[in-house]
Amino acid sequence: MHTALAAWVAVLAAALGQSEPAPCASSFALESHAGAAHHGDVCRGPKGAWQCPRGCATSATGPLCVEDGRPCRRPAACLGRAALVAGRGSRGDACVVAQEKKPDVWSCPTDCAAVAAPSDPGRRVACIRADGQPCVSHARRSPCRDNATNATELEWHDERWHGDVCREPDGNFHCPVDCSRTHGSRPPYCLKARVATKPCRTNFGPARPWGKPKPKVLPGWGFEQPYSLACVGRPCDVVKATSLDIVVAAYDYGTAPVVMAVAAAAPARVAPVRAFLYCKGPAGCDPADVAAVRALERVASVEAIPLPNVGRCDHAYATHAVRRRDDLADATLFLKDTTPWHVHLGSMVNVLGLARALPANLEAFCARAPISETLAFELPTYESEQCYRFGKCYADESYQRASVRPLGAWLTARAGVRVGERGVAACLGGAFGAGREAIRRTPAATYAALASELSAGDSLEAGHFAERAWFAFFGVARLPPLVRNRAVVYAFGDAAGLDLPSDRAGRDDGWDYLYFVREDAASTKAPRGWRLVFSRTPATTLKAAPHRDPHLAAYAHSLYVEARPDVRAAAEAVATALSAGASVALRRRAVCCAGHRGARARLADEALLCGAGAGAGAVAAARRAAARSRGPAYASTFVLRRHTEAAAAFNERWLARITELGPEFADVALMAAAAASGGTVAAADEAIVDERPGAAPALAARRRQPPATWVFLATADSSEAWAAMAKRAVASARARTSLEHIVCVFRGGRDAALARWLEGAGVEVLYHDAPAWAGRVSEALSTKAGRDNVRFSPLYESASALAATFLRVDIPLLLDPRKHGEIVLYADTDVAFLRDVRREDFGAGADPAYFTMGAEFMEPPIYGNAGVMLLNLIGLRRTYAAFADWTFSDANVRRGLHFGKFGPGDQGAYAEFYEGAFAVVRSPSFNWRPYWRARWADPAILHFHGPKPDDYREALGGGAAKPPLAWRAILKRCRGRGGAPCADWLRIYDCREKWAFDPESVGQARAARTRRADVARWATDALPAAVEREACGVVFREANGSACVVFAFEGGANVVVDLPETTRGAVYRAVLKHADALLAARAGAPPPPLSAPRRDDACLAALLSAPRPSTAATRKRGAVTLLGHKALRGCPCCDFSIDGGDLFG
């Protein structure tokens, strides 16, 4: 038998040996790019290394693998719907198609083969490699390979409650190939395949690291790349006046952005500036584009020349050298129309860096670091980057070899340039410059011959030779010196949270970090990674006009910050926002100040929001200035500048406005200065500083204050069930708490039925019908991510429902801390108040700097639930603008307003933005859930988080309705022995509902007889039943032989009636006798005066401290016997209300 098996393995190995081997080496994984015409499949290895699959060749232009001139394609490990399953023991990896009612279909990966076909169709197949070893598929190195964009990253988790996940760019996730997703996206999110009780610990991919994996560091958008500069008779003269020609070779991009940016960066001494536009597009020069260049004030003359689309940009440059040889400026810049768009090369940043300090004695300039090209260089094959990446191929993509090659022979024969043995200095990228004399070092006939040769076609080897020959034409034999952009990040001594991460402190990333303090602050220490600078320059001047300070004026770029900077984002902004003509980049306030002038005028209120002491006159003047401004609003939390004369003019405008309005209104002054500066100011695409409160030290602790205000949200389009819950919540708050203010932020009109009811119930309704960010919610739900997020929450089904939850974002602006208090209570409407909310319910210590939440679940992971929160209005006002703009930023809108591991909706936004700056109470009495198994003795607020009361009634009553999937697991907790006391909490909630008065359900003009009859029916049916059940708001007292009955109503009024005896008939007669008082109390109005109702708080204290008897004893003795407990003897008949659920357990 063993001999037969060995023979079979040998035969199979021989068969596998004849088939194709695995496409990648053992340490590399196949990375498929199927469907991407610009990218072939590659083998990806550790730390991002790559190589081409077997049988494919590497192209000369980047990570592209080709086969027969086409992108390389290799089959996936599993075909069709089959999923790869990791091998165990001798079975090896396999592919499986799971079927519901049929056996699973097993097969082997494409680079392995089966040992034998299984006799059972559902039996797992054993797969081996060509060497007879168990199959380890080439796809085993790509656990997240199933994402079409190949943009996901494996996110390891060692927590017991969290499995490994594949994180997607929009914050969503999917599970690795050998794991499965949990129902309802609950922890641990991803489970081990076929072991559904254990968190996912994927065996695919690279070895699991020890500790948390380090984030991948992205390149600095070319900002860190130097450029080369050579001047005639060093040093470079940046003082003398000089003229400039801008030559742009264009095809399908506009020339105006290039010319505009260079002209704006050049100082006034650079004049005149001329533009030469060589258009190679099929329609020639775009009239609108040429008109935009002619409209530039700095450009003295514009010449547009159409050319055939041959010879790439070098053909245009050679043509210009021939045409303008006798009329050249002191300096000429040769640029492509795509220079601003290739930000990853950093070319435009370096071009503008040269323009702002253009030497009068320029010899040669290269926007990239030049290379020393070997004289033996030649290029046998070539496909343009535009063609293979984007499908934008030349009219004739056929490649023509040069008749004379290699490069050294071509330079000698065609250009008449003598070259040495060490090679030639080459400037790649088509962005360079030269002085007048350098261009004239080569005869015009040579340029003409070059233009003629480059006219032979679109894709020429001679063009690549020409790209490497320009410095030789200019007489530059050696590599010019390198110049690196230097930028500075600076802040004042009162900024907080500026410590750089330990792995970045001391790293040379092109930025210097200067921390300015006054000269008399000798004891001040600089944040980690910063250099302390003592300066006499006032703080306002440093902020608004850095060009006035000698420490800052020497830099090419400066970044003022009030929080921890993100220099990667700053470098990106330099390459994008500051590369199209602007010299200043700011964070635009897209939410808080959108809309009409009155909304922008609110900017002036920030003096009050931030606690500044500006007078009423100063605030009024700032409000007028903000209202008159026509431009967008910006925040001064960071200001990024390229130090140009245009930036200096903006600085002076801002400083003048600050001097006029006061330093408290710097943002109002910034809005006016930006509006007056036009195109000098641009908006940064993303925040350059970390404005999250958790990134800085917390605010100073404040005294503990009990909340006096409850605020909640409601909308006009609320369903009947939600409106009923809102009414019950208001009624319970009136009856059971001493809150001074009940406030509703209402989205809808005043004529809405719910709004009328709330106003009639004494609720302060703040109508907030058009939030500035409402449109961003609709945009988020229109994205694919937004539509997919419905699996996390039903709120994503409609923009109206999702926007309703985000209304709480604006609560800090709508409530007045002087009226409602600095500390307020927020709670949803699916709650019931059981008692007063005490400050100690929210934990020990001072009031929160921003807010405090209760735990979402009692078991790990412990994260906050925003259904009930203690809010600090002052702290939230300070961070409102940053929080609102961040929440509704383009990045968050693209991911559908879902915040990844922090959760969906506004709760996820609060958790991520304020991460580390708020507390979560693990067992919150202020946010108690019916489905919690723990029995809490004294909860303040009962919160129907998840399933609502109707869902509990349906589930506990055996109904057939199916709640949402995420709620079924919660409702299961209510069943069985030892389950959660859901029925008890529901009875308490329904009891309160029974006595809650709805003024719309009772007529306003009933005769006395009708009222008496109504009370009689109520007393006959409801009251005795309530007494027998020992539940609801009816309590009997017995003391010293006397008795009384207390009728407790949710409207807040309690009626006490003395009883001669405690029989049912006596209760009935008492009800009829005091019908008017009872109906008035039921209606929520103060009852008519009765005969000396007595009160005694000691009676209540004695009752609550009395031990509770068993349920059986309670039923046997009845309510009157229980209330006659010895602890109550001697108590007079007193007036208080207590819930039967609390009393009788």
Side-chain angles (χ1 to χ4, degrees):
M1 181 176 179
H2 294 286
T3 305
L5 179 60
W8 166 250
V9 171
V11 171
L12 182 58
L16 285 175
Q18 296 175 359
S19 61
E20 294 185 3
C24 298
S26 59
S27 60
F28 286 76
L30 181 66
E31 183 178 280
S32 176
H33 290 270
H38 61 276
H39 209 309
D41 297 347
V42 298
C43 294
R44 187 71 65 182
K47 298 183 179 181
W50 67 274
Q51 58 183 221
C52 288
R54 291 185 175 91
C56 296
T58 304
S59 70
T61 54
L64 181 69
C65 298
V66 296
E67 185 176 26
D68 297 330
R70 299 296 180 184
C72 175
R73 293 288 178 259
R74 289 294 180 266
C78 296
L79 303 179
R81 297 186 299 110
L84 184 65
V85 176
R88 293 293 185 270
S90 61
R91 288 188 171 185
D93 297 349
C95 301
V96 61
V97 177
Q99 303 184 103
E100 292 184 1
K101 298 182 179 180
K102 297 181 181 179
D104 295 344
V105 178
W106 292 88
S107 60
C108 288
T110 55
D111 52 342
C112 298
V115 173
S119 57
D120 184 358
R123 184 181 176 188
R124 193 195 196 287
V125 66
C127 304
I128 62 172
R129 299 182 309 193
D131 56 2
Q133 297 299 318
C135 175
V136 179
S137 173
H138 60 268
R140 280 285 296 276
R141 308 298 293 182
S142 302
C144 302
R145 71 189 186 285
D146 54 337
N147 185 278
T149 63
N150 292 294
T152 57
E153 292 186 0
L154 177 62
E155 188 176 285
W156 283 289
H157 285 274
D158 296 323
E159 306 93 332
R160 291 181 302 170
W161 50 269
H162 206 311
D164 297 344
V165 298
C166 293
R167 187 66 62 186
E168 299 174 3
D170 58 1
N172 294 327
F173 72 95
H174 62 266
C175 294
V177 293
D178 52 346
C179 298
S180 60
R181 190 164 183 158
T182 59
H183 290 292
S185 298
R186 290 288 304 278
Y189 308 109
C190 292
L191 296 168
K192 196 68 178 174
R194 300 181 176 270
V195 187
T197 59
K198 295 184 178 180
C200 170
R201 297 292 182 259
T202 179
N203 293 320
F204 288 60
R208 177 178 295 273
W210 293 100
K212 188 176 181 181
K214 295 182 178 180
K216 183 178 180 181
V217 179
L218 298 177
W221 290 89
F223 186 83
E224 78 289 352
Q225 299 186 26
Y227 60 92
S228 60
L229 177 63
C231 296
V232 178
R234 299 176 184 176
C236 296
D237 186 355
V238 295
V239 178
K240 184 180 177 182
T242 184
S243 58
L244 174 64
D245 286 347
I246 305 173
V247 178
V248 183
Y251 179 73
D252 55 356
Y253 285 81
T255 61
V258 181
V259 180
M260 182 188 307
V262 175
R269 65 177 180 82
V270 178
V273 177
R274 302 184 300 182
F276 299 88
L277 316 178
Y278 292 91
C279 310
K280 295 194 170 190
C285 296
D286 182 5
D289 181 57
V290 176
V293 178
R294 296 186 190 278
L296 299 175
E297 295 182 1
R298 288 296 311 275
V299 180
S301 64
V302 179
E303 186 175 352
I305 307 98
L307 289 178
N309 186 24
V310 294
R312 305 195 308 171
C313 63
D314 303 282
H315 174 260
Y317 300 160
T319 302
H320 180 80
V322 175
R323 293 182 64 253
R324 309 298 301 187
R325 177 180 178 81
D326 297 330
D327 186 19
L328 293 170
D330 295 334
T332 301
L333 288 178
F334 298 91
L335 305 172
K336 297 191 296 186
D337 58 342
T338 57
T339 303
W341 312 111
H342 292 171
V343 293
H344 61 287
L345 302 176
S347 298
M348 197 63 186
V349 175
N350 293 335
V351 168
L352 299 181
L354 173 80
R356 63 174 293 274
L358 184 66
N361 56 339
L362 174 67
E363 181 178 22
F365 155 78
C366 182
R368 296 164 64 178
I371 64 173
S372 180
E373 187 63 270
T374 175
L375 301 179
F377 170 80
E378 54 182 308
L379 196 61
T381 60
Y382 176 75
E383 184 181 25
S384 67
E385 183 181 17
Q386 290 288 324
C387 184
Y388 72 72
R389 291 191 63 188
F390 310 111
K392 297 180 179 179
C393 303
Y394 296 130
D396 180 11
E397 194 66 33
S398 59
Y399 185 65
Q400 299 182 31
R401 298 296 304 274
S403 58
V404 178
R405 55 183 185 268
L407 175 61
W410 183 88
L411 282 172
T412 303
R414 293 288 188 266
V417 177
R418 297 184 61 184
V419 295
E421 297 179 356
R422 295 185 178 181
V424 59
C427 177
L428 305 181
F432 56 89
R436 179 190 297 112
E437 299 305 322
I439 297 175
R440 289 177 176 174
R441 286 172 184 165
T442 296
T446 301
Y447 290 123
L450 175 61
S452 176
E453 182 175 7
L454 296 179
S455 301
D458 299 323
S459 184
L460 307 172
E461 185 178 22
H464 296 279
F465 290 165
E467 180 183 18
R468 291 159 172 79
W470 285 108
F471 271 22
F473 293 153
F474 301 152
V476 179
R478 296 182 179 180
L479 294 177
L482 294 180
V483 179
R484 189 176 183 185
N485 287 293
R486 297 303 302 180
V488 60
V489 184
Y490 70 100
F492 305 149
D494 56 352
L498 295 177
D499 285 342
L500 299 180
S502 56
D503 61 337
R504 297 196 64 88
R507 179 189 300 178
D508 187 7
D509 51 10
W511 298 84
D512 295 335
Y513 298 85
L514 303 184
Y515 189 70
F516 285 85
V517 296
R518 300 188 309 272
E519 289 187 338
D520 56 352
S523 61
T524 304
K525 292 185 178 180
R528 182 176 59 214
W530 295 66
R531 179 161 60 89
L532 197 64
V533 177
F534 297 96
S535 175
R536 296 181 180 180
T537 306
T540 303
T541 304
L542 282 172
K543 178 177 183 177
H547 67 285
R548 290 190 176 189
D549 185 85
H551 297 92
L552 302 174
Y555 289 91
H557 303 87
S558 68
L559 173 63
Y560 162 76
V561 297
E562 294 179 354
R564 182 184 299 165
D566 181 356
V567 293
R568 183 204 62 82
E572 178 182 350
V574 169
T576 54
L578 297 187
S579 292
S583 296
V584 181
L586 305 170
R587 180 179 73 80
R588 183 169 180 175
R589 288 187 165 177
V591 175
C592 69
C593 308
H596 52 79
R597 294 167 60 189
R600 290 199 300 271
R602 275 202 333 222
L603 268 178
D605 295 338
E606 290 204 353
L608 300 177
L609 301 185
C610 298
V619 174
R623 288 180 62 87
R624 288 193 298 270
R628 288 195 300 266
S629 177
R630 300 297 180 184
Y634 296 97
S636 59
T637 52
F638 72 82
V639 183
L640 177 65
R641 300 174 175 91
R642 172 177 285 114
H643 286 185
T644 63
E645 292 181 353
F650 160 81
N651 297 343
E652 295 297 337
R653 295 188 189 100
W654 188 17
L655 182 60
R657 296 296 285 171
I658 291 178
T659 305
E660 176 186 348
L661 299 175
E664 300 91 348
F665 305 106
D667 283 5
V668 178
L670 179 63
M671 183 165 56
S677 301
T680 301
V681 177
D685 292 335
E686 61 177 297
I688 297 177
V689 298
D690 190 351
E691 295 178 318
R692 296 178 303 156
L699 299 176
R702 299 178 61 86
R703 63 187 182 279
R704 293 161 55 91
Q705 302 181 48
T709 299
W710 167 43
V711 57
F712 63 95
L713 310 174
T715 61
D717 56 356
S718 298
S719 64
E720 293 183 5
W722 276 102
M725 286 191 292
K727 296 174 183 179
R728 296 176 196 134
V730 171
S732 65
R734 289 291 188 202
R736 302 301 180 188
T737 70
S738 58
L739 291 167
E740 298 178 15
H741 305 280
I742 299 180
V743 183
C744 174
V745 176
F746 193 83
R747 187 179 184 187
R750 297 176 181 272
D751 56 344
L754 181 57
R756 294 198 308 270
W757 189 95
L758 292 172
E759 289 183 342
V763 176
E764 180 183 353
V765 182
L766 303 177
Y767 293 92
H768 192 46
D769 196 31
W773 41 259
R776 304 292 283 170
V777 176
S778 300
E779 292 179 30
L781 291 192
S782 66
T783 64
K784 182 181 183 301
R787 293 189 295 270
D788 292 344
N789 286 339
V790 72
R791 67 182 186 270
F792 299 111
S793 172
L795 294 173
Y796 287 91
E797 293 178 353
S798 71
S800 176
L802 188 60
T805 67
F806 277 102
L807 284 176
R808 81 186 88 189
V809 171
D810 289 349
I811 286 177
L813 294 187
L814 299 175
L815 270 64
D816 185 357
R818 291 166 294 188
K819 174 183 177 182
H820 302 107
E822 295 183 10
I823 304 298
V824 302
L825 173 70
Y826 169 82
D828 291 339
T829 55
D830 54 348
V831 302
F833 287 83
L834 305 182
R835 63 163 172 81
D836 253 326
V837 179
R838 297 186 288 266
R839 178 59 188 82
E840 52 267 25
D841 292 332
F842 292 88
D847 287 331
Y850 304 101
F851 56 84
T852 297
M853 289 182 178
E856 179 85 358
F857 302 101
M858 275 193 168
E859 61 273 9
I862 302 300
Y863 54 91
N865 173 266
V868 183
M869 299 194 299
L870 192 68
L871 306 180
N872 185 325
L873 294 183
I874 298 299
L876 291 174
R877 279 189 169 197
R878 286 192 177 102
T879 56
Y880 169 79
F883 177 49
D885 280 348
W886 175 86
T887 300
F888 302 103
S889 63
D890 291 341
N892 287 331
V893 167
R894 283 193 298 270
R895 58 180 182 172
L897 293 180
H898 188 284
F899 300 89
K901 66 179 182 180
F902 297 95
D906 60 325
Q907 178 172 302
Y910 275 108
E912 182 172 359
F913 185 82
Y914 291 96
E915 182 183 14
F918 66 95
V920 177
V921 179
R922 181 162 185 171
S923 300
S925 61
F926 60 88
N927 193 352
W928 200 254
R929 321 294 164 72
Y931 53 80
W932 282 350
R933 292 186 174 89
R935 296 181 177 273
W936 192 255
D938 192 23
I941 299 176
L942 181 65
H943 181 199
F944 285 87
H945 166 250
K948 305 310 171 194
D950 289 342
D951 299 303
Y952 282 99
R953 296 187 192 101
E954 187 73 24
L956 297 175
K962 291 186 178 181
L965 181 63
W967 294 356
R968 297 177 192 175
I970 294 178
L971 294 172
K972 284 183 180 179
R973 302 185 180 191
C974 303
R975 303 171 185 169
R977 187 174 182 179
C982 305
D984 296 339
W985 292 120
L986 184 64
R987 185 171 64 250
I988 293 173
Y989 184 82
D990 287 340
C991 170
R992 298 190 180 282
E993 175 191 356
K994 187 181 296 296
W995 308 125
F997 173 70
D998 186 348
E1000 297 176 359
S1001 64
V1002 179
Q1004 299 298 321
R1006 286 185 174 179
R1009 180 174 298 178
T1010 304
R1011 294 199 301 273
R1012 284 178 177 273
D1014 181 54
V1015 172
R1017 288 195 304 272
W1018 171 64
T1020 303
D1021 301 330
L1023 180 62
V1027 174
E1028 290 179 355
R1029 290 198 316 269
E1030 302 171 355
C1032 297
V1034 180
V1035 179
F1036 283 90
R1037 294 281 167 74
E1038 185 180 54
N1040 297 330
S1042 62
C1044 63
V1045 60
V1046 180
F1047 300 95
F1049 296 96
E1050 292 293 351
N1054 300 326
V1055 178
V1056 183
V1057 179
D1058 292 327
L1059 295 179
E1061 53 183 343
T1062 58
T1063 63
R1064 180 176 298 186
V1067 175
Y1068 175 74
R1069 288 188 294 273
V1071 169
L1072 294 181
K1073 180 178 179 181
H1074 300 286
D1076 290 338
L1078 293 174
L1079 279 178
R1082 189 182 181 195
L1090 299 178
S1091 55
R1094 296 178 293 276
R1095 298 174 179 270
D1096 188 352
D1097 293 337
C1099 184
L1100 173 61
L1103 177 63
L1104 295 179
S1105 63
R1108 298 183 178 184
S1110 65
T1111 303
T1114 302
R1115 291 175 178 171
K1116 181 178 180 180
R1117 291 181 293 179
V1120 177
T1121 305
L1122 174 64
L1123 291 173
H1125 191 276
K1126 62 181 181 180
L1128 303 177
R1129 299 191 185 280
C1131 284
C1133 185
C1134 52
D1135 174 16
F1136 75 97
S1137 63
I1138 184 170
D1139 196 293
D1142 289 331
L1143 179 61
F1144 299 108

